[in-house]
mmCIF file of all heavy atoms in Angstrom:
data_model
loop_
_atom_site.group_PDB
_atom_site.id
_atom_site.type_symbol
_atom_site.label_atom_id
_atom_site.label_comp_id
_atom_site.label_asym_id
_atom_site.label_seq_id
_atom_site.Cartn_x
_atom_site.Cartn_y
_atom_site.Cartn_z
ATOM 1 N N THR A 1 80.746 95.970 -1.640
ATOM 2 C CA THR A 1 79.587 96.354 -1.070
ATOM 3 C C THR A 1 79.073 95.341 0.051
ATOM 4 O O THR A 1 78.089 95.580 0.582
ATOM 5 C CB THR A 1 78.395 96.576 -2.100
ATOM 6 O OG1 THR A 1 78.391 95.262 -2.792
ATOM 7 C CG2 THR A 1 78.770 97.545 -3.079
ATOM 8 N N SER A 2 79.866 94.329 0.201
ATOM 9 C CA SER A 2 79.633 93.363 1.225
ATOM 10 C C SER A 2 80.818 92.932 1.846
ATOM 11 O O SER A 2 82.002 93.060 1.255
ATOM 12 C CB SER A 2 78.864 92.297 0.751
ATOM 13 O OG SER A 2 79.562 91.503 -0.317
ATOM 14 N N PRO A 3 80.865 92.380 3.157
ATOM 15 C CA PRO A 3 82.084 92.090 3.720
ATOM 16 C C PRO A 3 83.095 91.120 2.963
ATOM 17 O O PRO A 3 82.513 90.036 2.411
ATOM 18 C CB PRO A 3 81.702 91.360 5.087
ATOM 19 C CG PRO A 3 80.340 92.079 5.248
ATOM 20 C CD PRO A 3 79.743 92.137 3.987
ATOM 21 N N ILE A 4 84.325 91.217 3.046
ATOM 22 C CA ILE A 4 85.276 90.378 2.376
ATOM 23 C C ILE A 4 85.861 89.356 3.372
ATOM 24 O O ILE A 4 86.218 88.365 3.116
ATOM 25 C CB ILE A 4 86.400 91.179 1.731
ATOM 26 C CG1 ILE A 4 85.950 92.097 0.562
ATOM 27 C CG2 ILE A 4 87.451 90.306 1.166
ATOM 28 C CD1 ILE A 4 86.928 93.126 0.170
ATOM 29 N N ILE A 5 86.063 89.899 4.628
ATOM 30 C CA ILE A 5 86.639 89.139 5.773
ATOM 31 C C ILE A 5 85.529 88.853 6.768
ATOM 32 O O ILE A 5 84.826 89.836 7.332
ATOM 33 C CB ILE A 5 87.726 89.891 6.510
ATOM 34 C CG1 ILE A 5 88.908 89.981 5.390
ATOM 35 C CG2 ILE A 5 88.325 89.083 7.698
ATOM 36 C CD1 ILE A 5 90.015 90.967 5.888
ATOM 37 N N ASP A 6 85.216 87.593 7.188
ATOM 38 C CA ASP A 6 84.231 87.333 8.193
ATOM 39 C C ASP A 6 84.872 86.199 9.163
ATOM 40 O O ASP A 6 86.015 85.781 8.937
ATOM 41 C CB ASP A 6 82.869 86.845 7.684
ATOM 42 C CG ASP A 6 82.971 85.634 6.710
ATOM 43 O OD1 ASP A 6 84.037 84.969 6.752
ATOM 44 O OD2 ASP A 6 82.090 85.439 6.088
ATOM 45 N N ARG A 7 84.244 85.763 10.107
ATOM 46 C CA ARG A 7 84.696 84.909 11.192
ATOM 47 C C ARG A 7 84.836 83.520 10.422
ATOM 48 O O ARG A 7 86.030 82.875 10.745
ATOM 49 C CB ARG A 7 83.484 84.635 12.195
ATOM 50 C CG ARG A 7 83.927 83.544 13.292
ATOM 51 C CD ARG A 7 82.699 83.254 14.233
ATOM 52 N NE ARG A 7 83.034 81.990 14.981
ATOM 53 C CZ ARG A 7 83.503 82.076 16.192
ATOM 54 N NH1 ARG A 7 83.734 83.307 16.713
ATOM 55 N NH2 ARG A 7 83.772 81.023 16.772
ATOM 56 N N ALA A 8 84.122 83.076 9.529
ATOM 57 C CA ALA A 8 84.327 81.787 8.866
ATOM 58 C C ALA A 8 85.707 81.787 8.199
ATOM 59 O O ALA A 8 86.343 80.731 8.301
ATOM 60 C CB ALA A 8 83.168 81.487 7.958
ATOM 61 N N LEU A 9 85.974 82.845 7.490
ATOM 62 C CA LEU A 9 87.167 82.898 6.661
ATOM 63 C C LEU A 9 88.324 82.895 7.697
ATOM 64 O O LEU A 9 89.216 82.086 7.499
ATOM 65 C CB LEU A 9 87.214 84.096 5.895
ATOM 66 C CG LEU A 9 88.613 84.355 5.109
ATOM 67 C CD1 LEU A 9 88.920 83.299 4.110
ATOM 68 C CD2 LEU A 9 88.601 85.766 4.493
ATOM 69 N N LEU A 10 88.338 83.653 8.672
ATOM 70 C CA LEU A 10 89.380 83.681 9.701
ATOM 71 C C LEU A 10 89.682 82.358 10.440
ATOM 72 O O LEU A 10 90.693 81.964 10.641
ATOM 73 C CB LEU A 10 89.242 84.871 10.702
ATOM 74 C CG LEU A 10 89.301 86.236 10.005
ATOM 75 C CD1 LEU A 10 89.202 87.357 11.210
ATOM 76 C CD2 LEU A 10 90.639 86.475 9.154
ATOM 77 N N THR A 11 88.551 81.799 10.795
ATOM 78 C CA THR A 11 88.635 80.519 11.413
ATOM 79 C C THR A 11 89.315 79.446 10.608
ATOM 80 O O THR A 11 90.167 78.679 11.110
ATOM 81 C CB THR A 11 87.310 79.930 11.790
ATOM 82 O OG1 THR A 11 86.573 80.913 12.699
ATOM 83 C CG2 THR A 11 87.223 78.764 12.596
ATOM 84 N N SER A 12 89.152 79.562 9.284
ATOM 85 C CA SER A 12 89.683 78.509 8.513
ATOM 86 C C SER A 12 91.180 78.818 8.101
ATOM 87 O O SER A 12 91.886 77.939 7.658
ATOM 88 C CB SER A 12 88.973 78.406 6.992
ATOM 89 O OG SER A 12 89.072 79.749 6.367
ATOM 90 N N VAL A 13 91.608 80.111 8.169
ATOM 91 C CA VAL A 13 93.032 80.405 7.758
ATOM 92 C C VAL A 13 93.890 80.754 8.829
ATOM 93 O O VAL A 13 95.131 80.498 8.738
ATOM 94 C CB VAL A 13 93.112 81.554 6.869
ATOM 95 C CG1 VAL A 13 92.112 81.261 5.538
ATOM 96 C CG2 VAL A 13 92.489 82.862 7.457
ATOM 97 N N LEU A 14 93.379 81.180 10.048
ATOM 98 C CA LEU A 14 94.337 81.484 11.195
ATOM 99 C C LEU A 14 94.691 80.200 11.965
ATOM 100 O O LEU A 14 93.725 79.555 12.275
ATOM 101 C CB LEU A 14 93.698 82.491 12.189
ATOM 102 C CG LEU A 14 93.441 83.912 11.553
ATOM 103 C CD1 LEU A 14 92.876 84.835 12.426
ATOM 104 C CD2 LEU A 14 94.674 84.556 10.803
ATOM 105 N N ALA A 15 95.868 80.131 12.347
ATOM 106 C CA ALA A 15 96.267 79.066 13.366
ATOM 107 C C ALA A 15 95.704 79.385 14.717
ATOM 108 O O ALA A 15 95.413 80.505 14.890
ATOM 109 C CB ALA A 15 97.921 79.066 13.388
ATOM 110 N N PRO A 16 95.519 78.411 15.537
ATOM 111 C CA PRO A 16 94.953 78.637 16.904
ATOM 112 C C PRO A 16 95.831 79.716 17.601
ATOM 113 O O PRO A 16 97.049 79.568 17.604
ATOM 114 C CB PRO A 16 95.068 77.378 17.480
ATOM 115 C CG PRO A 16 94.966 76.178 16.391
ATOM 116 C CD PRO A 16 95.755 77.019 15.313
ATOM 117 N N GLN A 17 95.210 80.667 18.162
ATOM 118 C CA GLN A 17 95.823 81.679 19.093
ATOM 119 C C GLN A 17 96.652 82.672 18.192
ATOM 120 O O GLN A 17 97.321 83.486 18.815
ATOM 121 C CB GLN A 17 96.751 81.096 20.097
ATOM 122 C CG GLN A 17 96.144 79.971 20.915
ATOM 123 C CD GLN A 17 94.706 80.425 21.579
ATOM 124 O OE1 GLN A 17 94.575 81.496 21.988
ATOM 125 N NE2 GLN A 17 93.797 79.540 21.619
ATOM 126 N N GLN A 18 96.586 82.564 16.874
ATOM 127 C CA GLN A 18 97.337 83.568 16.065
ATOM 128 C C GLN A 18 96.645 84.881 16.081
ATOM 129 O O GLN A 18 95.521 85.018 15.592
ATOM 130 C CB GLN A 18 97.466 83.103 14.501
ATOM 131 C CG GLN A 18 98.202 84.060 13.699
ATOM 132 C CD GLN A 18 98.225 83.620 12.156
ATOM 133 O OE1 GLN A 18 97.789 82.352 11.821
ATOM 134 N NE2 GLN A 18 98.470 84.531 11.295
ATOM 135 N N PRO A 19 97.402 85.948 16.607
ATOM 136 C CA PRO A 19 96.751 87.258 16.723
ATOM 137 C C PRO A 19 96.807 87.976 15.375
ATOM 138 O O PRO A 19 97.600 87.817 14.571
ATOM 139 C CB PRO A 19 97.705 87.865 17.731
ATOM 140 C CG PRO A 19 99.031 87.311 17.462
ATOM 141 C CD PRO A 19 98.733 85.856 17.212
ATOM 142 N N LEU A 20 95.671 88.937 15.335
ATOM 143 C CA LEU A 20 95.441 89.543 14.083
ATOM 144 C C LEU A 20 94.705 90.876 14.509
ATOM 145 O O LEU A 20 93.730 90.787 15.164
ATOM 146 C CB LEU A 20 94.761 88.825 13.183
ATOM 147 C CG LEU A 20 94.471 89.420 11.796
ATOM 148 C CD1 LEU A 20 95.813 89.593 10.902
ATOM 149 C CD2 LEU A 20 93.539 88.639 10.818
ATOM 150 N N MET A 21 95.293 91.960 13.892
ATOM 151 C CA MET A 21 94.440 93.265 14.085
ATOM 152 C C MET A 21 93.856 93.631 12.651
ATOM 153 O O MET A 21 94.623 93.562 11.638
ATOM 154 C CB MET A 21 95.441 94.358 14.573
ATOM 155 C CG MET A 21 94.779 95.666 14.781
ATOM 156 S SD MET A 21 95.901 97.081 15.037
ATOM 157 C CE MET A 21 96.548 96.595 16.675
ATOM 158 N N LEU A 22 92.691 94.051 12.738
ATOM 159 C CA LEU A 22 91.918 94.376 11.423
ATOM 160 C C LEU A 22 91.443 95.822 11.557
ATOM 161 O O LEU A 22 90.897 96.102 12.717
ATOM 162 C CB LEU A 22 90.703 93.400 11.182
ATOM 163 C CG LEU A 22 90.913 92.018 11.074
ATOM 164 C CD1 LEU A 22 89.577 91.267 11.003
ATOM 165 C CD2 LEU A 22 91.681 91.739 9.713
ATOM 166 N N ILE A 23 91.793 96.649 10.675
ATOM 167 C CA ILE A 23 91.329 98.030 10.665
ATOM 168 C C ILE A 23 90.633 98.300 9.279
ATOM 169 O O ILE A 23 91.333 98.337 8.327
ATOM 170 C CB ILE A 23 92.536 99.037 10.937
ATOM 171 C CG1 ILE A 23 93.285 98.785 12.270
ATOM 172 C CG2 ILE A 23 92.086 100.516 10.802
ATOM 173 C CD1 ILE A 23 94.403 99.571 12.540
ATOM 174 N N ASP A 24 89.303 98.536 9.538
ATOM 175 C CA ASP A 24 88.483 98.639 8.257
ATOM 176 C C ASP A 24 88.106 100.066 8.050
ATOM 177 O O ASP A 24 87.326 100.659 8.885
ATOM 178 C CB ASP A 24 87.308 97.651 8.438
ATOM 179 C CG ASP A 24 86.335 97.725 7.283
ATOM 180 O OD1 ASP A 24 86.636 98.295 6.200
ATOM 181 O OD2 ASP A 24 85.298 97.118 7.303
ATOM 182 N N ILE A 25 88.600 100.745 7.027
ATOM 183 C CA ILE A 25 88.241 102.024 6.798
ATOM 184 C C ILE A 25 87.233 102.210 5.582
ATOM 185 O O ILE A 25 87.159 103.365 4.946
ATOM 186 C CB ILE A 25 89.474 103.027 6.608
ATOM 187 C CG1 ILE A 25 90.282 102.469 5.498
ATOM 188 C CG2 ILE A 25 90.215 103.061 7.986
ATOM 189 C CD1 ILE A 25 91.595 103.398 5.200
ATOM 190 N N SER A 26 86.654 101.246 5.282
ATOM 191 C CA SER A 26 85.557 101.281 4.169
ATOM 192 C C SER A 26 84.134 101.362 4.641
ATOM 193 O O SER A 26 83.849 100.952 5.696
ATOM 194 C CB SER A 26 85.855 99.945 3.401
ATOM 195 O OG SER A 26 86.965 99.782 2.741
ATOM 196 N N VAL A 27 83.413 102.043 3.889
ATOM 197 C CA VAL A 27 82.024 102.051 4.025
ATOM 198 C C VAL A 27 81.344 101.895 2.714
ATOM 199 O O VAL A 27 81.515 102.737 1.814
ATOM 200 C CB VAL A 27 81.531 103.412 4.663
ATOM 201 C CG1 VAL A 27 79.943 103.450 4.977
ATOM 202 C CG2 VAL A 27 82.238 103.550 6.000
ATOM 203 N N PRO A 28 80.523 100.835 2.439
ATOM 204 C CA PRO A 28 80.143 99.818 3.397
ATOM 205 C C PRO A 28 81.473 99.015 3.933
ATOM 206 O O PRO A 28 82.429 98.937 3.252
ATOM 207 C CB PRO A 28 79.280 98.882 2.522
ATOM 208 C CG PRO A 28 78.876 99.647 1.411
ATOM 209 C CD PRO A 28 79.921 100.603 1.198
ATOM 210 N N ARG A 29 81.326 98.354 5.076
ATOM 211 C CA ARG A 29 82.447 97.758 5.702
ATOM 212 C C ARG A 29 82.973 96.512 4.981
ATOM 213 O O ARG A 29 82.110 95.760 4.405
ATOM 214 C CB ARG A 29 82.063 97.309 7.231
ATOM 215 C CG ARG A 29 81.825 98.518 8.144
ATOM 216 C CD ARG A 29 81.357 98.015 9.490
ATOM 217 N NE ARG A 29 79.911 97.583 9.286
ATOM 218 C CZ ARG A 29 79.391 97.170 10.306
ATOM 219 N NH1 ARG A 29 79.789 97.012 11.567
ATOM 220 N NH2 ARG A 29 78.025 96.841 10.199
ATOM 221 N N ASN A 30 84.200 96.186 4.992
ATOM 222 C CA ASN A 30 84.957 95.154 4.421
ATOM 223 C C ASN A 30 84.955 93.965 5.345
ATOM 224 O O ASN A 30 85.376 92.869 4.941
ATOM 225 C CB ASN A 30 86.309 95.481 3.892
ATOM 226 C CG ASN A 30 86.221 96.421 2.700
ATOM 227 O OD1 ASN A 30 87.236 96.921 2.301
ATOM 228 N ND2 ASN A 30 85.020 96.597 2.025
#
């Protein structure tokens, strides 16, 4: 019922410039 992925999480786990595509088909949004 609340986001699982946010900017803070991605900033901590993605390498600099590492591309990622997110497709969220949940409501409420994940």
